């Protein structure tokens, strides 16, 4: 299960959004195929801030870049944890 949430971090005095925070979370449950024993159950979460741009498309592109970076980092964490979990057997 994956979730993404965006929140406003800073606004200027006129109410214009200056900075956002983006958080992504992945819930992972790994089970053995034969015994159905749960090997790993964990939520992986990361967040980062990004500046809003005057052009909405630039803001969206910054958000997409942050999503990709956070997802890559979480994927590495998941692979590491799965390697450790299955390596302990």
């Amino acid at each position: 299960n994956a979730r993404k949430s965006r929140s406003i971090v800073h606004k200027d005095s006129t109410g214009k959004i200056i900075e956002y925070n983006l958080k992504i979370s992945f819930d992972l449950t790994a089970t053995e195929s034969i015994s159905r024993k749960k090997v790993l159950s964990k939520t992986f979460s990361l967040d980062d801030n990004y500046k809003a741009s005057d052009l909405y498309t630039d803001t969206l592109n910054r958000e997409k870049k942050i999503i990709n970076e956070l997802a890559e980092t979480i994927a590495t964490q998941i692979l590491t944890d799965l390697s450790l979990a299955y390596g302990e057997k």
Side-chain angles (χ1 to χ4, degrees):
N1 191 12
R3 292 176 306 286
K4 174 185 85 165
S5 64
R6 181 179 67 180
S7 59
I8 297 167
V9 177
H10 292 107
K11 288 184 180 183
D12 66 12
S13 59
T14 65
K16 181 181 173 185
I17 298 169
I18 297 173
E19 190 173 12
Y20 290 99
N21 177 271
L22 182 75
K23 179 178 181 178
I24 60 172
S25 301
F26 290 90
D27 297 325
L28 176 73
T29 301
T31 56
E32 290 182 352
S33 58
I34 297 171
S35 68
R36 295 303 211 204
K37 180 183 170 189
K38 194 180 291 185
V39 176
L40 176 67
S41 182
K42 187 174 180 179
T43 299
F44 297 85
S45 295
L46 286 175
D47 70 301
D48 201 359
N49 293 348
Y50 62 98
K51 302 281 185 194
S53 175
D54 290 335
L55 293 174
Y56 183 64
T57 55
D58 288 343
T59 302
L60 288 179
N61 287 335
R62 288 176 185 171
E63 181 176 324
K64 286 179 187 177
K65 183 180 178 211
I66 295 292
I67 290 170
N68 288 336
E69 290 171 357
L70 294 177
E72 272 188 39
T73 302
I74 288 176
T76 301
Q77 290 176 350
I78 289 171
L79 289 173
T80 300
D81 282 19
L82 286 172
S83 294
L84 291 172
Y86 283 101
E88 291 175 356
K89 294 177 57 179

